[in-house]
Amino acid sequence: MTDPQSPISTLKFESLAVHAGTQADPGTGAVMTPIYQTSTYAQVDVGVHRGFEYSRTDNPTRSALQTALATLEGGRYALAFASGMAATDTLLRLVKPGEHVVCGNDVYGGTYRLFDKVLAEYGLEFSFVDASDLQALQMALRAETRLVWLETPTNPLLRLTDISMAAEMAHRAGAWLAVDNTFASPALQQPLALGADFVVHSTTKYLGGHSDVVGGAIVLNDEAAYERLKFLQNAIGAVPGPQDCFLVLRGIKTLALRMERHCINAVRVANFLEEQPRVAQVIFPGLVSHPQHGLAQQQMRGPGGMVSFIMAGGEAAARVVARETRLFTLAESLGGVESLIELPAPMTHASVAGSPLAVDAGLVRLSVGIEHADDLLSDLAQALQKAGE
Ligand code: P1T
């Protein structure tokens, strides 16, 4: 838990990113949090321990990461998980059979799969709506609605939802608002301050930042919900190992710097793509052509590093571009220092095929990295050229 009395709570985000959760190791003075690679802890007497008894329940490296995550999201509590999906699954255990969840209709394919193909079988009801349309969101709320689940920006269409308005609506209906903040990261947007009850992350992405770890997190303020989720974290056991926690902690230290460069490069890439005749549409919250550009400027400190676009030549042209880039690696995932390219329809969103959430087969998604923008533009130019041959 972040101590509001601590001098750290007055620091600016960039400084928090470097220092939150990390203290010189009391035993050795080690500046970086040690990787406490242990499953268990010696007890002083039967049932008497030094704060740690078993690493599923608590581990010092995980505790440091949890403190850092809570601090960066401006929350009181954070819980770390083995993946973004593990975090999502654990949070959804707060919803009981017979209760209802309203979910945005543009979300990570795996989130849809978990809701529609797994949790629906246990009696949870889901409605998928365009959450960028507040009226549609309002209409979907029912007496049994317990949770509203949003991504903003969404994966892969980069739609936004006004978080404050959505929180107000959810609360009036007696529901919680959970925001999956993976695409923005806390460097660009802190949903708890805007009224959300839970922030969820795939720490695999911008928080980790180096495509070398899979992890997830929940951040929140409410003590009773925290106690329940902490119980569930231990009872279900989808926890990250200490080395993975260390990697996310290390990534977080450069989050502010990395996000700055991701945003600058993504603006260059989006502007370049808008001028390309083989590109039918560029989707990026930083472009004035984005229908929610105004909301992006108001709600986010930067437009983010994700750019999506639809090829005029449809799926065939999209496949050529994805195959032909050299600096942009053809791969799922996002948020690492290196640029990635993928086609959501057959890759990250294959599980929404045939559903109302299905995405355009000509859609290309870029995770713009921190390389030199000139190199990224040259790479895209040569790949687009091949798509026209
Ligand atoms: O992969 P995992 O750490 O379990 O996180 C799942 C997840 C949750 N939320 C969002 C917004 C995500 O984008 C993801 C994972 N997404 C990808 C792997 C992807 O390429 O879109």
Side-chain angles (χ1 to χ4, degrees), residues 83-85 108 151 155 180 182 202 204-205 215 333-334 348 365:
S83 67
M85 294 319 305
Y108 170 54
E151 288 178 10
N155 180 2
D180 181 334
T182 299
S202 168
T204 317
K205 311 300 181 326
S333 201
L334 58 117
T348 52
R365 191 190 74 182

Side-chain angles (χ1 to χ4, degrees), residues 39-290:
S39 58
T40 192
Y41 305 82
Q43 302 204 357
V44 182
D45 201 344
V46 178
V48 182
H49 56 76
R50 302 173 179 87
F52 296 93
E53 52 187 327
Y54 186 59
S55 278
R56 170 160 37 74
T57 317
D58 271 311
N59 172 283
T61 318
R62 194 172 91 209
S63 300
L65 171 62
Q66 291 177 161
T67 303
L69 290 165
T71 307
L72 294 197
E73 282 291 358
R76 292 179 70 197
Y77 309 104
L79 293 160
F81 293 88
S83 67
M85 294 319 305
T88 305
D89 182 53
T90 304
L91 180 64
L92 266 285
R93 308 292 178 119
L94 297 182
V95 182
K96 305 228 162 27
E99 292 182 335
H100 175 241
V101 177
V102 175
C103 179
N105 70 357
D106 186 51
V107 290
Y108 170 54
T111 301
Y112 173 75
R113 179 175 56 199
L114 174 68
F115 290 0
D116 188 62
K117 305 279 188 299
V118 182
L119 297 174
E121 293 199 340
Y122 291 86
L124 275 62
E125 268 201 76
F126 294 89
S127 299
F128 297 91
V129 297
D130 178 0
S132 66
D133 175 353
L134 290 171
Q135 250 182 329
L137 192 60
Q138 178 66 53
M139 301 274 284
L141 295 166
R142 302 184 200 155
E144 320 80 75
T145 308
R146 196 75 195 99
L147 179 70
V148 174
W149 177 279
L150 301 177
E151 288 178 10
T152 176
T154 62
N155 180 2
L157 293 176
L158 306 174
R159 293 187 186 134
L160 307 189
T161 297
D162 184 322
I163 297 172
S164 311
M165 298 288 282
E168 242 182 78
M169 279 181 185
H171 294 159
R172 265 204 311 271
W176 290 302
L177 175 67
V179 175
D180 181 334
N181 203 27
T182 299
F183 268 38
S185 92
L188 303 184
Q189 166 177 288
Q190 287 157 312
L192 296 178
L194 300 174
D197 301 285
F198 305 105
V199 165
V200 177
H201 275 286
S202 168
T203 57
T204 317
K205 311 300 181 326
Y206 289 107
L207 288 163
H210 296 75
S211 304
D212 53 9
V213 63
V214 171
I218 303 172
V219 189
L220 71 161
N221 281 318
D222 183 75
E223 188 174 352
Y226 167 72
E227 291 303 337
R228 178 66 184 162
L229 286 167
K230 170 105 187 88
F231 169 82
L232 290 168
Q233 181 194 41
N234 181 50
I236 297 168
V239 292
Q243 172 130 8
D244 288 352
C245 293
F246 173 88
L247 286 171
V248 179
L249 253 184
R250 187 172 70 164
I252 281 175
K253 289 176 189 294
T254 55
L255 176 68
L257 267 179
R258 285 185 287 106
M259 288 313 295
E260 256 180 60
R261 177 62 84 85
H262 283 299
C263 290
I264 290 169
N265 281 358
V267 167
R268 287 275 314 271
V269 164
N271 285 330
F272 167 80
L273 289 171
E274 268 209 329
E275 289 163 7
Q276 305 307 308
R278 295 190 180 102
V279 174
Q281 192 194 347
V282 184
I283 307 166
F284 178 61
L287 289 175
V288 283
S289 60
H290 189 285

Side-chain angles (χ1 to χ4, degrees), residues 278 280 310-320 343 360-364:
R278 295 190 180 102
I310 299 175
M311 288 297 291
E315 182 179 355
R319 281 179 182 265
V320 175
L343 303 194
D360 192 307
L363 183 74
V364 182

Side-chain angles (χ1 to χ4, degrees), residues 1-6 8-9 66-67 70-72 74-77:
M1 179 178 159
T2 319
D3 175 6
Q5 304 305 317
S6 146
I8 205 167
S9 61
Q66 291 177 161
T67 303
T71 307
L72 294 197
R76 292 179 70 197
Y77 309 104

